[in-house]
């Protein structure tokens, strides 16, 4: 577990969204299993999660959308942190306090269909819906060009967003980016009943633990177990299976044609020991992006912002500040 030194500054408070706190200090909408998580950084960030109403065209009512937002409005260039496939804003539990402590207006946003938003109405969770949801959240609550940060599949989410709303993004950061996949491939052709069976396996503890061990490089069994519990928490939401099946059958993200069209200055961060997306992809991405910088982190796996948060934040801050 990283040891983080965080400083803070103060300014005008941002109005809070919907957050009812239970007796243990966590928002009442989080699964009760959150209290079993031992990682103090995950526990602290979970207590910061709130839901903001986001109005979208494909629903008659607003979606109460989960995120962690700045406690204070400092007027700096906003940094918006996405997460990877089937994850949540808790993925940023180590890096978020460092960015915030550096005086950056930082948002950690749950992508529609994952995380802890209220999806009881079962909205569509395909690519177009995820894009509109992120845009409407940005338009209502941020409303100025942002530094968009996408790890793993979150890089595809970011790239798709920029292709449709370039005015909303000033700079792009991609971390161990998964941007060359052909969507969900043959999974999109599965009969719905088979898709539900597959998704139920996706949240199983053995599979989650195995994937977590691949994603992290040389961590203790206890740390890997707790990280698995953090990464699996959102799967315990009652609508998680429906949202995930909807995304799977929709075809998912295919942003290969967008890569060379990205005009924003881009920082590519990559763990050299990534066992999920080869570091060779980093070199290809760097070559195809016209205005990009590549930084590779030795001794690091697929999620550097979890394994090496101090380094990742250091690189992001230098990129933002042009140092």
């Amino acid at each position: 577990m990283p040891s983080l030194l965080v400083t803070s500054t103060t300014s005008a408070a941002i109005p809070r969204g919907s957050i009812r706190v239970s007796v243990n200090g966590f928002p009442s909408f989080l699964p009760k299993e959150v209290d079993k998580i031992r990682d103090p950084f995950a526990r602290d960030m979970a207590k910061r999660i709130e839901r903001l109403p986001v109005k979208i065209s494909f629903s008659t009512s607003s979606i109460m959308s989960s995120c962690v937002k700045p406690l204070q409005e400092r007027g700096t260039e906003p940094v918006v942190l996405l997460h990877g496939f089937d994850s949540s804003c808790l993925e940023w539990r180590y890096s978020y306090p460092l960015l915030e402590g550096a005086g950056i207006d930082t948002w950690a946003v749950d992508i529609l269909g994952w995380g802890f938003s209220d999806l009881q109405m079962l909205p569509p969770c395909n690519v177009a819906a995820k894009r509109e949801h992120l845009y409407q959240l940005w338009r209502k609550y941020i409303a100025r060009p942002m530094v968009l940060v996408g790890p793993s599949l979150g890089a595809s989410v970011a790239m798709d967003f920029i292709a449709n709303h370039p005015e909303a993004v000033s700079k792009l950061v991609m971390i161990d980016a998964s941007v060359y996949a052909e969507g969900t491939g043959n999974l999109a052709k599965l009969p719905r009943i088979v898709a539900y069976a597959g998704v139920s396996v996706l949240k199983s503890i053995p599979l989650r633990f195995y994937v977590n061990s691949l994603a992290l490089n040389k961590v203790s069994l206890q740390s890997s177990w707790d990280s698995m519990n953090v990464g699996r928490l959102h799967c315990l939401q009652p609508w998680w299976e429906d949202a995930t099946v909807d995304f799977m059958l929709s075809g998912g993200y295919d942003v290969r044609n967008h890569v060379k069209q990205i005009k924003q200055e881009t920082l590519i961060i990559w763990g050299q020991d990534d066992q999920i997306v080869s570091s060779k992809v980093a070199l290809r991405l760097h070559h195809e992006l016209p205005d990009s910088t590549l930084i590779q982190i030795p001794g690091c796996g697929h999620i550097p912002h979890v394994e090496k948060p101090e380094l990742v934040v250091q690189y992001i801050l230098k990129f933002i500040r042009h140092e």
Side-chain angles (χ1 to χ4, degrees), residues 276-293:
I276 295 177
V277 183
S278 169
S279 58
K280 293 180 180 178
V281 175
L283 299 176
R284 176 183 175 184
L285 192 56
H286 179 43
H287 176 73
E288 293 186 356
L289 282 171
D291 188 10
S292 65
T293 300

Side-chain angles (χ1 to χ4, degrees), residues 8 14 51 76 96 112 145 163 201 247 250 253 264 287 299 307:
S8 62
I14 297 177
R51 286 172 169 172
T76 62
Y96 187 97
L112 181 69
V201 174
F247 173 73
S250 73
Y253 284 92
Q264 283 80 355
H287 176 73
E307 289 188 61

Side-chain angles (χ1 to χ4, degrees), residues 160-182:
D160 170 80
F161 184 85
I162 291 173
N164 290 274
H165 302 290
E167 76 286 354
V169 180
S170 57
K171 299 182 183 69
L172 172 63
V173 179
M174 294 191 285
I175 302 174
D176 291 69
S178 176
V179 293
Y180 291 112
E182 299 180 35

Side-chain angles (χ1 to χ4, degrees), residues 31-137:
K32 65 181 185 302
E33 288 81 359
V34 66
D35 203 32
K36 297 179 181 178
I37 293 171
R38 303 272 64 87
D39 184 337
F41 294 96
R43 293 176 67 88
D44 287 347
M45 190 162 187
K47 292 174 182 178
R48 290 271 306 272
I49 299 174
E50 56 188 288
R51 286 172 169 172
L52 303 175
V54 175
K55 182 64 179 171
I56 31 75
S57 65
F58 47 85
S59 175
T60 56
S61 57
S62 296
I63 293 177
M64 296 305 296
S65 305
S66 51
C67 65
V68 176
K69 67 180 186 178
L71 290 174
Q72 308 292 334
E73 180 71 67
R74 300 179 175 99
T76 62
E77 187 175 31
V79 172
V80 176
L81 308 170
L82 303 178
H83 54 73
F85 170 73
D86 193 24
S87 184
S88 77
C89 59
L90 292 177
E91 196 173 297
W92 291 98
R93 57 195 178 273
Y94 302 132
S95 299
Y96 187 97
L98 293 173
L99 285 165
E100 190 171 59
I104 302 297
D105 288 346
T106 309
W107 294 71
V109 174
D110 281 336
I111 297 166
L112 181 69
W114 298 312
F116 305 101
S117 298
D118 184 351
L119 305 182
Q120 188 171 2
M121 66 183 75
L122 298 182
C125 293
N126 54 40
V127 169
K130 292 180 190 298
R131 179 196 314 134
E132 182 183 340
H133 176 261
L134 178 58
Y135 176 74
Q136 294 301 339
L137 187 149

Side-chain angles (χ1 to χ4, degrees), residues 152-157 159 174 176-181 253-257 259 270 277 281 285:
S152 194
L153 186 73
S156 284
V157 178
M159 199 167 282
M174 294 191 285
D176 291 69
S178 176
V179 293
Y180 291 112
Y253 284 92
D254 186 347
V255 297
R256 291 170 296 168
N257 292 332
V259 174
W270 217 277
V277 183
V281 175
L285 192 56

